[in-house]
Amino acid sequence: MSANQTPSGQQQTGTHDSAFLRACRREPVPHTPVWFMRQAGRSLPEYLKVREGIPMLESCTRPELVAEITLQPVRRHNVDAAIYYSDIVVPLKAIGVDLDIKPGVGPVVANPIRSRADLAQLRDLTPDDVSYVTEAIGLLTAELGSTPLIGFAGAPFTLASYLVEGGPSRNHENTKALMYGDPQLWADLLDRLAEITSAFLKVQIEAGASAVQLFDSWVGALSPADYRRSVMPASEKVFTSVASYGVPRIHFGAGTGELLGLLGEAGADVVGVDWRVPLDEAARRVGPGKALQGNLDPAVLFAPREAVETKADEVLDAAAGLEGHVFNLGHGVLPTTDPDALTHLVEYVHTRTAR
């Protein structure tokens, strides 16, 4: 199934030939496409205005609000793709896990998973659990027209780390203790999370998402051997579950320079690269047959415009020999980033790479 079709065979308006999807498929592009992780959200004053007084997780369940927030950076920055506004813990909340996102902290889980009995918290996710996602994507695809929408989900390891630690962790000591100390329970936990994540991505694709990205925010804490043995099977299961839809599958994790080849091997069509590894070196590590996404350091955007352009040139020069390249930051947009810096960067990359 091609990436501009829904499972019912209906064409999505003009997205198939967009620069973003062409780059993901490693086809010729009119210019290097640009989008930014966390482009929808906290750096935009219009986002802060519409979110005022609305808790994060509640905002993710309001279809019209989700659509508005998702569209804001497309209108402002002229990016080549929209990223669905949500949070990686939304599917966990939807199946009844007792958690909340605390400002300044992040996701906090009331009853961390430390034993086999705790797995009972994780039932299957059904489309009815997240009907607001289907509704929001319907609103979005009608508005976006030829601009692709990227669906996303948290990868099993990162979801597991929140569930086991009970919240964000610097060292992931409880997570690693479970992974090393009870390998079977760990495998069962990740497999269950892979099922939930797969179901969440399928809902987004069937509603009209043109691509999906799997975020593994914390997997850089692992060695390649631990990743291959204890994490990769679950990520591979997620990518395999959505392969038949034919939409590009992107895999991103921060601090994953040593894991880049494995991230691609897990089943991604596009491997996201953070700013620590130049794209030409990343291509060597990943190997042929994959597009790359990245990888300007988000902090560069706080420098003068000339410096931003110079650093963007370095990224584009390193990407010159790639089979496919999607320009992005090496992680999410920082909260105090000047939105005008992002708008100029999009224009600069488009102009610099116009063919």
Side-chain angles (χ1 to χ4, degrees):
M1 185 176 298
S2 66
N4 69 329
Q5 289 182 321
T6 65
S8 62
Q10 296 174 341
Q11 296 290 315
Q12 294 177 9
T13 309
T15 59
H16 183 78
D17 286 325
S18 64
F20 168 72
L21 290 179
R22 291 184 67 86
C24 290
R25 298 193 302 264
R26 296 175 288 120
E27 297 173 358
V29 291
H31 59 263
T32 297
V34 187
W35 73 278
F36 304 115
M37 290 179 280
R38 288 185 175 163
Q39 66 186 17
R42 54 197 183 173
S43 67
L44 298 180
E46 55 265 42
Y47 165 80
L48 298 175
K49 183 177 180 180
V50 298
R51 264 286 317 278
E52 191 172 0
I54 304 172
M56 175 66 192
L57 285 174
E58 182 182 338
S59 72
C60 296
T61 65
R62 297 188 182 186
E64 291 185 357
L65 182 59
V66 168
E68 168 60 23
I69 293 171
T70 302
L71 289 166
Q72 285 174 349
V74 179
R75 299 188 195 113
R76 180 187 273 264
H77 302 315
N78 194 32
V79 286
D80 293 278
I83 176 75
Y84 182 74
Y85 172 74
S86 187
D87 189 272
I88 63 171
V89 299
V90 162
L92 300 180
K93 183 73 171 180
I95 62 171
V97 175
D98 187 356
L99 60 81
D100 196 11
I101 298 178
K102 295 191 175 181
V105 178
V108 176
V109 179
N111 302 300
I113 291 178
R114 305 284 172 80
S115 69
R116 181 159 296 279
D118 295 330
L119 285 181
Q121 297 180 55
L122 303 179
R123 66 167 175 82
D124 291 342
L125 177 82
T126 71
D128 288 342
D129 292 321
V130 288
S131 58
Y132 46 84
V133 172
T134 299
E135 184 177 345
I137 291 179
L139 295 172
L140 279 164
T141 53
E143 288 287 330
L144 285 166
S146 61
T147 301
L149 175 67
I150 305 168
F152 89 95
F157 175 82
T158 290
L159 294 178
S161 73
Y162 282 118
L163 288 169
V164 174
E165 300 291 340
S169 171
R170 184 179 298 273
N171 299 312
H172 307 282
E173 56 266 38
N174 292 304
T175 304
K176 291 184 177 182
L178 179 61
M179 183 174 72
Y180 299 138
D182 194 338
Q184 189 58 57
L185 175 57
W186 173 260
D188 292 345
L189 170 60
L190 258 66
D191 188 70
R192 192 164 298 188
L193 290 170
E195 293 282 356
I196 293 165
T197 298
S198 298
F200 191 53
L201 289 178
K202 288 176 182 179
V203 167
Q204 294 174 69
I205 296 169
E206 291 181 7
S210 296
V212 290
Q213 175 158 310
L214 193 66
F215 283 84
D216 217 344
S217 309
W218 303 121
V219 78
L222 298 181
S223 70
D226 284 341
Y227 177 84
R228 180 182 288 279
R229 178 179 56 251
S230 302
V231 173
M232 187 170 157
S235 294
E236 190 172 20
K237 182 173 184 174
V238 174
F239 284 122
T240 299
S241 77
V242 298
S244 64
Y245 292 103
V247 304
R249 299 160 296 172
I250 310 168
H251 202 1
F252 174 79
T256 53
E258 298 301 317
L259 305 179
L260 287 172
L262 294 171
L263 295 183
E265 194 177 329
D269 304 298
V270 184
V271 176
V273 184
D274 74 11
W275 69 91
R276 298 169 180 87
V277 180
L279 287 176
D280 49 357
E281 170 60 17
R284 187 190 69 78
R285 298 183 188 187
V286 171
K290 309 287 183 182
L292 295 187
Q293 178 176 279
N295 68 336
L296 185 72
D297 185 342
V300 167
L301 289 161
F302 292 82
R305 181 166 290 186
E306 295 76 12
V308 175
E309 292 177 357
T310 297
K311 298 300 287 185
D313 284 341
E314 291 178 6
V315 172
L316 293 169
D317 289 344
L322 300 184
E323 297 179 71
H325 177 222
V326 176
F327 191 99
N328 207 316
L329 303 180
H331 205 179
V333 174
L334 297 171
T336 55
T337 303
D338 180 357
D340 289 343
L342 290 165
T343 302
H344 176 75
L345 180 57
V346 175
E347 181 182 8
Y348 181 77
V349 173
H350 284 172
T351 302
R352 163 85 154 66
T353 61
R355 295 165 174 83

